[in-house]
Amino acid sequence: MRAPHPVVVVHGGAGDVPVERHAEAVEGCRRAARAGLEVLLAGGSALDAAQRAVEVLEDDPLFNAGTGACLTEAGEIELDASVMEGTGLRAGAVAALPPFRNPVRIARAVLEEGRHVMMSGPGAAAFARSMGFEPADPESMITEASRRRLETWKQGRAEAGWAGGTVGAVACDASGRLAAATSTGGRVGKRPGRVGDSPVPGAGTFADDEAGACSCTGDGEAILRVGLARLAVDLLRVGLHADEAARAAIATLGRRVGGTGGLVLLDRRGRFAACWNTRTMSHAVARAGQPVVGDIVAPLQDV
Ligand code: GLY
């Protein structure tokens, strides 16, 4: 097999983002992909790179993750995030985590500690504090836009449960190691305690050096039911090209459970694909020696 290409692919969430905000979201994805690539070029692992890219998106209030996360029906932030590396199939996740600035870092701490794969709610917060993470002042993470989205949802003017703006990244390093990371505030107006696909290995996030890596976005309940990230990677495993696998997985999401969403996918050689069945999914790709490009492929039609 030829040497893998170091690459970072990020998404800023599937949804229906107006043109002017979509351009900003693509720019945010480009910044995140570049930051992830810098980690790879400095000798970091695929896992370090995917995590770094997601941190950048969590810090960007434009996206529904970390700062700017959407609010529960009680007006609070509850965060879901996960990381997975494809060499040892190690994973770490937090679910329904109260406000901490970078939940993906806490997911990484869960992975590194290795005792459990997923921590939730108050237990996740206690774990984070024990690992030296400081809880954030909720007011510092709640944006005017997220308050407005909740108000709109309460007035019944927004689609119940829309999960636009979830963020994620997949990375391949020069050794061919693969990793994926995903982070979200979930869906607007969700019940407190609701957990979506993003922290669940195999649903929102999956990586296996023997096949590929995937991060998903969209309707979490539907993505959980089809195990979307694992489905896409397994389609690579049986020999589909990344583009075919991504399309087939999203087609399954639509056909089997009527789900909407998207994903970014990498194969073992660092060949990538992005696919979605919503109107928009901001995304970007960073490869060594090449300009960072955003919005490279068109959405999947007819699913
Ligand atoms: N895909 C994000 C969520 O539904 O929570």
Side-chain angles (χ1 to χ4, degrees):
M1 193 172 85
R2 292 216 317 267
H5 308 292
V7 57
V8 179
V9 188
V10 313
H11 68 78
D16 186 2
V17 174
V19 176
E20 44 318 331
R21 211 153 60 73
H22 182 68
E24 275 182 70
V26 173
E27 195 43 44
C29 288
R30 293 177 69 215
R31 274 194 299 275
R34 189 176 299 116
L37 181 65
E38 278 165 12
V39 169
L40 291 182
L41 297 180
S45 67
L47 181 59
D48 296 332
Q51 178 188 331
R52 179 69 197 127
V54 167
E55 286 170 10
V56 170
L57 294 165
E58 286 178 338
D59 289 340
D60 187 332
L62 198 61
F63 298 98
N64 173 17
T67 302
C70 68
L71 304 178
T72 67
E73 63 186 14
E76 292 174 343
I77 284 182
E78 289 188 358
L79 302 160
D80 293 344
S82 64
V83 292
M84 183 162 180
E85 59 84 21
T87 308
L89 301 182
R90 292 183 305 149
V94 287
L97 178 76
F100 279 81
R101 201 149 294 283
N102 289 110
V104 73
R105 284 191 193 154
I106 303 170
R108 176 71 183 268
V110 175
L111 179 153
E112 294 300 340
E113 196 214 28
R115 182 170 164 196
H116 301 300
V117 168
M118 190 186 299
M119 301 293 298
S120 71
F127 169 81
R129 282 194 299 274
S130 77
M131 290 291 174
F133 295 96
E134 287 290 323
D137 172 3
E139 290 305 309
S140 71
M141 294 182 69
I142 297 177
T143 60
E144 268 317 301
S146 58
R147 281 191 221 283
R148 271 200 310 276
R149 282 177 84 189
L150 181 62
E151 278 317 305
T152 307
W153 176 80
K154 282 185 171 167
Q155 290 161 15
R157 286 194 280 120
E159 185 188 340
W162 178 240
T166 292
V167 305
V170 287
C172 175
D173 62 29
S175 311
R177 290 176 296 186
L178 298 175
T182 310
S183 182
T184 190
R187 39 176 36 176
V188 182
K190 66 185 180 181
R191 285 184 201 275
R194 178 264 187 186
V195 174
D197 61 298
S198 303
V200 180
T205 304
F206 193 71
D208 180 350
D209 289 2
E210 293 183 0
C214 182
S215 170
C216 301
T217 162
D219 174 358
E221 279 68 13
I223 294 170
L224 279 163
R225 287 162 63 205
V226 298
L228 187 63
R230 176 74 197 233
L231 172 65
V233 169
D234 280 348
L235 291 169
L236 294 174
R237 203 186 301 277
V238 296
L240 266 64
H241 186 276
D243 192 48
E244 293 166 343
R247 284 171 166 270
I250 290 295
T252 300
L253 179 71
R255 183 174 54 79
R256 294 291 284 121
V257 294
T260 53
L263 56 82
V264 289
L265 183 65
L266 269 184
D267 75 7
R268 296 195 291 156
R269 285 185 35 203
R271 292 175 300 200
F272 59 84
C275 190
W276 60 102
N277 63 6
T278 50
R279 206 179 62 75
T280 60
M281 185 182 80
S282 56
H283 61 284
V285 181
R287 286 161 289 186
Q290 298 192 29
V292 182
V293 288
D295 261 9
I296 38 162
V297 279
L300 180 59
Q301 305 295 331
D302 305 325
V303 291

